Amino acid sequence: MDFILSIADEYLLDRVWARLVPVSAFVPTPEAYAGLNSTIVPSKWSQLVSHLPHPPLPEANVYDAVSAWPRDYIPRQMLSLTALTLVGIHLLYFAFSWLSYTFIFDKRMMRHPKFLKDQVRLEIITSLKAFPVMMLLTLPWFQAEVMGYSRLYDDVSLYGWPYLIFSVALFLVFTDYCIYWIHRWLHIPWLYKRLHKPHHKWIVPTPWASFAFHPLDGYLQSIPYHLFVFIFPFHRFAYLGLFVVVNFWTILIHDSDMITGHPLENIINGPAHHTLHHVYFTVNYGQYFTWSDRQGGSYMHPDHKFDPLLQVKDEKKVE
């Protein structure tokens, strides 16, 4: 997130903050110092922001477009990260969910007897309600990254290409194993009732259900992604790329697809596996791989006979 913030500062946010908290709001103009122009009246906005705290003011002409809040000022960083995170998650959610819903999701599933009335609208509303709270919970992780506490690095030569490739695999294994147990613990009755049950409201989910959960539920399952870069050195661009891939994968596995018989079925915990999780609740907790479920005794192998679409076809035959 530190890289995204630096790019945003360079091309957009420096100008935004120069207008929102201008240095001129805190420094009188030369004319005012000399008492030559008593008719100069600061704008109402300048009068308002002049009461805000700020670090030592930069040495700049008060007429320059400079903010009293520099890039390294923590309140500015936190507000900028808040805005960037909210915009980013909404863009990812609507773009990837729309693509998956439009081109992959089988619309016949909407005739399933367990498909709720107005479900797509409810999934979207639930997601939009969860985003702000999840953002606030995630903000300390992003702020710590920006302040340099993570082990993210830029120069590949620092650890070499073999480690970079290994670290990508390690990221997937580490996050998958941690999420498996977090997800499984969320099915403990006491926690399930209070946190995870809202997500299982969608027995036959659409891609719009990927983030339709209690915000604390979503945050808990996201912790391994953030924790990883504070434990292990990880290349900054690999982390950004995998962050996008992870969000896309989360949406993809909620498309209720039950395509079976492919060669990676025993290894990859894909959409068919996660469809079974929503239908049967206590199987296939993993995020990417099946090995944690196999070791934990919660693995259920996808089979065409479990396809929820069969119920739709059977219902149609009865009609």
Side-chain angles (χ1 to χ4, degrees):
M1 203 63 188
D2 52 352
F3 173 76
I4 294 176
L5 180 59
S6 65
I7 295 297
D9 279 335
E10 181 70 25
Y11 293 100
L12 175 64
L13 294 180
D14 281 346
R15 294 190 294 275
V16 171
W17 283 109
R19 293 180 66 88
L20 290 177
V21 191
V23 70
S24 59
F26 304 91
V27 180
T29 65
E31 291 87 346
Y33 272 126
L36 299 176
N37 192 345
S38 60
T39 63
I40 295 178
V41 179
S43 68
K44 290 184 178 181
W45 179 254
S46 292
Q47 293 180 52
L48 179 64
V49 301
S50 66
H51 299 289
L52 293 175
H54 60 82
L57 296 173
E59 294 183 5
N61 189 313
V62 294
Y63 299 112
D64 291 342
V66 178
S67 177
W69 285 9
R71 291 184 182 183
D72 60 355
Y73 190 50
I74 292 177
R76 166 177 164 168
Q77 291 177 337
M78 295 183 72
L79 290 172
S80 296
L81 288 170
T82 295
L84 291 172
T85 302
L86 283 176
V87 170
I89 192 60
H90 281 81
L91 287 176
L92 285 173
Y93 174 68
F94 280 104
F96 289 154
S97 296
W98 179 82
L99 287 171
S100 183
Y101 179 77
T102 303
F103 297 107
I104 300 176
F105 178 68
D106 191 333
K107 306 301 186 298
R108 291 176 296 173
M109 292 300 300
M110 300 174 77
R111 301 200 306 266
H112 191 281
K114 296 293 181 69
F115 197 87
L116 304 179
K117 181 181 179 181
D118 296 327
Q119 180 171 313
V120 170
R121 182 178 67 86
L122 293 173
E123 289 171 339
I124 294 174
I125 290 173
T126 303
S127 300
L128 295 181
K129 288 181 178 178
F131 287 152
V133 180
M134 288 182 59
M135 177 277 301
L136 289 174
L137 293 171
T138 306
L139 185 58
W141 293 99
F142 288 154
Q143 183 62 35
E145 286 179 27
V146 169
M147 296 176 70
Y149 293 113
S150 74
R151 303 192 67 185
L152 291 169
Y153 64 93
D154 296 301
D155 188 357
V156 175
S157 64
L158 188 62
Y159 293 96
W161 281 102
Y163 176 78
L164 175 58
I165 296 170
F166 168 76
S167 66
V168 170
L170 180 62
F171 175 86
L172 295 175
V173 171
F174 176 87
T175 55
D176 181 74
Y177 185 73
C178 290
I179 291 171
Y180 170 82
W181 283 108
I182 293 171
H183 192 180
R184 186 159 184 169
W185 291 335
L186 284 167
H187 277 260
I188 295 171
W190 188 88
L191 288 173
Y192 178 83
K193 181 180 179 180
R194 288 162 176 79
L195 295 180
H196 198 51
K197 187 176 181 179
H199 187 60
H200 276 280
K201 179 180 181 179
W202 329 111
I203 296 175
V204 181
T206 77
W208 300 105
S210 52
F211 293 94
F213 37 45
H214 189 291
L216 185 55
D217 175 3
Y219 169 71
L220 289 173
Q221 294 194 62
S222 74
I223 287 177
Y225 302 122
H226 305 295
L227 182 63
F228 183 86
V229 298
F230 288 87
I231 300 176
F232 304 102
F234 203 35
H235 194 275
R236 181 168 279 102
F237 295 117
Y239 185 48
L240 287 174
L242 284 170
F243 183 82
V244 174
V245 170
V246 163
N247 279 277
F248 177 73
W249 183 258
T250 301
I251 291 169
L252 183 66
I253 62 176
H254 285 88
D255 67 5
S256 297
D257 172 30
M258 278 295 292
I259 296 175
T260 58
H262 57 83
L264 297 177
E265 193 172 76
N266 292 320
I267 302 171
I268 303 298
N269 190 27
H273 299 77
H274 200 70
T275 296
L276 294 180
H277 176 73
H278 274 263
V279 173
Y280 295 99
F281 291 76
T282 57
V283 298
N284 300 347
Y285 297 104
Q287 183 76 351
Y288 323 112
F289 307 115
T290 63
W291 64 280
S292 293
D293 281 294
R294 291 179 183 279
Q295 289 186 342
S298 55
Y299 179 70
M300 182 176 184
H301 190 74
D303 191 283
H304 179 66
K305 65 183 179 182
F306 300 127
D307 190 346
L309 190 58
L310 294 175
Q311 295 187 45
V312 175
K313 294 177 180 178
D314 290 343
E315 289 283 321
K316 191 172 182 180
K317 289 178 181 179
V318 171
E319 292 174 359

